[in-house]
Amino acid sequence: MTRPPTAAQRRVIDAADPVTGRLRGTQPQLTALVKRGLAFRHPRPPHDHFLTPEGHRVRQGITQAPEPDGPAEATASTGVFAARVGGEEAAADAGPARRREVHSAWQGLLELRRMTNPGGDADRPCGWERTHLVRAAALALEAAGHGPAGRQGPGYRVRETPQPEAVAVHEPDGEALRACAATLEGAGWQVSEHREPRGGARYLLASPRRA
């Protein structure tokens, strides 16, 4: 299980701006938070540091253990919050607590967009999403109410692809797959539908829209 933030790191997180998530701390503290996925360094001068969606969740006191034995995309998370990419045993858990967690993470991601996209554009993905494609797409789907697949059974599954800046979304139900496409398009992703070479099952390719 991922270790919780140290006392010094927690003080930096708690002192973050409540709206923007802007951080103040020593360079080693900020670097450590970036390595843990709780903060990111703005690419433009003055290169301030801001909380990621996971960092916002730590600040709000919401924690979650990593999903055990889940797919690589899920277990790569910090252990603070893991958007369900499909295939986790806990995917069937969609109770009120989980819905609150997902809503909070999505709001944090929208705030990252406003803070880091030119002109404060919250309608298209930001740099953090481009470096966490599977988790970002899964969060958009789960936040919109789509159900992730469990170990077996229906639901969406988001997976990496060999293509740069593209993820694959699988959903055996055709109507549900089209609904996933509409959600991702509304969240600022470019989406196209394809068929698998073997079996002909339909799936989506989704990439973050740049403009």
Side-chain angles (χ1 to χ4, degrees):
M1 181 178 297
T2 304
R3 291 180 296 106
T6 66
Q9 291 170 347
R10 185 60 200 243
R11 285 194 293 271
V12 173
I13 292 172
D14 290 343
D17 186 283
V19 176
T20 66
R22 189 190 302 265
L23 293 163
R24 292 287 182 268
T26 66
Q27 193 58 47
Q29 288 173 333
L30 297 174
T31 299
L33 290 175
V34 170
K35 288 181 178 179
R36 300 183 67 156
L38 301 177
F40 72 97
R41 184 173 181 265
H42 199 290
R44 296 193 297 272
H47 301 298
D48 285 334
H49 289 72
F50 297 85
L51 293 175
T52 62
E54 288 89 345
H56 278 284
R57 297 184 60 74
V58 170
R59 189 176 187 278
Q60 295 165 10
I62 304 173
T63 59
Q64 177 176 317
E67 302 291 352
D69 301 322
E73 294 90 343
T75 56
S77 76
T78 64
V80 177
F81 175 80
R84 289 179 177 156
V85 303
E88 305 93 336
E89 281 195 16
D93 176 16
R98 177 64 186 181
R99 290 195 293 270
R100 287 193 297 269
E101 291 176 351
V102 172
H103 175 76
S104 177
W106 178 247
Q107 292 304 311
L109 184 54
L110 292 179
E111 187 60 34
L112 283 188
R113 290 182 175 189
R114 284 188 284 268
M115 287 301 304
T116 60
N117 283 338
D121 183 3
D123 293 330
R124 60 186 177 87
C126 61
W128 183 88
E129 291 167 272
R130 298 179 192 283
T131 58
H132 300 79
L133 292 171
V134 171
R135 292 165 61 194
L139 177 56
L141 291 172
E142 192 175 0
H146 297 279
R151 289 289 190 184
Q152 296 180 339
Y156 70 77
R157 296 174 185 264
V158 184
R159 296 295 184 263
E160 294 180 348
T161 73
Q163 300 186 38
E165 285 208 356
V167 297
V169 180
H170 303 270
E171 164 59 77
D173 182 270
E175 184 175 348
L177 183 67
R178 290 188 291 273
C180 287
T183 289
L184 290 172
E185 288 172 349
W189 293 65
Q190 293 178 326
V191 182
S192 57
E193 188 173 307
H194 304 266
R195 284 188 180 273
E196 295 179 351
R198 295 183 179 181
R202 293 185 178 274
Y203 69 97
L204 305 176
L205 277 181
S207 301
R209 180 168 54 83
R210 288 193 174 276

